[in-house]
Amino acid sequence: MTGRPVDPDVDLHVPRQRSELREGPWGVLAAIAAGGALGALARHGLGSVFPHRPGEFPWAVFWVNVSGCLLIGVLMVLVTETWTAHRLVRPFLGVGVLGGFTTFSTYVVDAQELVNHGAPLVGLAYLAGTLAAALAAVFTGVRVTRLLARPRRGEAAPRIRCGERSEASGE
Amino acid sequence: MTIVLIVLGAALGAPLRYLTDRAVQARHDSVFPWGTFTVNVSGSFVLGLLAALPAHEGVMAFAGTGFCGALSTYSTFGYETLRLAEDGTRFYAVANAAASIVAGLGAAYCGMAIAQAVTG
């Protein structure tokens, strides 16, 4: 284990996330609810602008899930490896906005409806294509952000004075 | 009205995902991300049920687009799969991707079958 969270929503192995609900439960839950509502509205908006007919490849949900995966990779590197972010940034943007924007249930049900409408190959291509593109997107988001954020990490290092305990060196 | 219903559904679904994830992790200290697996499979079951009913437009906006959409998540699923692979637990990464998709499809199918049995 590298000590970084595996679950971007909440990872109880990370002490700060384990205690975040105790410290201010309503703030955290309100941030997640507000973010989730914004994310879901954005997904609905894109689905309305780019609708798909039964039996057609659901491009809007495909791009929603792939772009959401790219952005979670960027966000998680920023909040766990680069910044000391405000305690509501991850709940609002990660759990709320991106969690509400992307969807697993629609992905699965859309794939099944493609099969039910006599397009099993399109359904299979949609299942496999989304998975491959989403994993490539999250990989790209993480790697590119690490690459770009590296100089800033170097600049931040001298702020830690000798003898001072820091969260970064403590892990 | 549709927008209000989506907002309400998502404002319930997203915090419920967070709370479910916490509750599952508190009971199962495992490398496998059971919390996200649980919400994604549950969301697929409910959406399968709604899709086959067929539900009223308002119910679909609230419970389908809002609630199930925000309860289930692809970004968390994708990030977890990558992190498992990064940490050297490739087996869990592959198992997470395969099990989530197979269980999600199974759950949606069960939801659809129940809806069809009820509506005849």
Side-chain angles (χ1 to χ4, degrees):
Chain A
M1 296 289 278
T2 55
R4 288 194 298 270
V6 169
D7 187 338
D9 282 353
V10 63
D11 197 320
L12 298 186
H13 296 106
V14 180
R16 200 169 164 223
Q17 294 187 22
R18 196 178 179 90
S19 63
E20 72 186 356
L21 205 59
R22 217 174 27 239
E23 286 164 11
W26 297 114
V28 172
L29 293 177
I32 294 170
L38 283 175
L41 278 182
R43 169 164 42 84
H44 171 71
L46 284 171
S48 307
V49 175
F50 305 103
H52 72 279
R53 281 190 293 265
E56 276 182 358
F57 194 95
W59 283 110
V61 181
F62 172 86
W63 285 115
V64 159
N65 283 337
V66 172
S67 61
C69 279
L70 179 81
L71 293 173
I72 196 81
V74 173
L75 177 74
M76 288 306 287
V77 169
L78 290 179
V79 300
T80 62
E81 299 173 30
T82 311
W83 287 345
T84 310
H86 186 276
R87 68 183 191 92
L88 294 181
V89 169
R90 192 198 91 262
F92 176 70
L93 290 178
V95 190
V97 174
L98 294 179
F101 182 55
T102 62
T103 171
F104 195 87
S105 50
T106 309
Y107 160 72
V108 160
V109 170
D110 277 351
Q112 247 163 11
E113 285 186 344
L114 283 168
V115 175
N116 293 344
H117 282 93
L121 286 180
V122 182
L124 202 64
Y126 175 60
L127 276 180
T130 303
L131 181 67
L135 291 180
V138 73
F139 178 81
T140 306
V142 165
R143 290 302 161 98
V144 168
T145 312
R146 270 185 198 153
L147 213 64
L148 295 176
R150 198 170 290 160
R152 229 175 292 163
R153 261 197 294 183
E155 283 167 29
R159 279 190 301 161
I160 303 163
R161 274 178 274 148
C162 279
E164 240 179 28
R165 278 183 67 113
S166 77
E167 258 190 272
S169 62
E171 285 193 353
Chain B
M1 194 60 195
T2 303
I3 285 174
V4 176
L5 290 169
I6 292 170
V7 165
L8 288 175
L12 279 176
L16 186 63
R17 165 163 37 86
Y18 174 83
L19 292 172
T20 306
D21 204 347
R22 282 194 78 105
V24 171
Q25 281 183 45
R27 281 157 188 79
H28 296 274
D29 186 19
S30 154
V31 180
F32 192 85
W34 286 113
T36 307
F37 179 86
T38 305
V39 288
N40 279 345
V41 172
S42 314
S44 301
F45 172 78
V46 178
L47 193 64
L49 191 84
L50 291 168
L53 269 176
H56 180 269
E57 204 180 312
V59 175
M60 208 56 203
F62 172 77
T65 312
F67 181 78
C68 290
L71 177 71
S72 67
T73 169
Y74 215 92
S75 51
T76 300
F77 161 73
Y79 185 80
E80 280 170 341
T81 308
L82 175 80
R83 289 285 296 112
L84 288 171
E86 265 190 347
D87 277 355
T89 44
R90 294 250 163 94
F91 170 76
Y92 284 107
V94 175
N96 183 43
S100 296
I101 291 174
V102 170
L105 285 168
Y109 179 80
C110 288
M112 286 176 185
I114 290 172
Q116 277 159 2
V118 168
T119 55

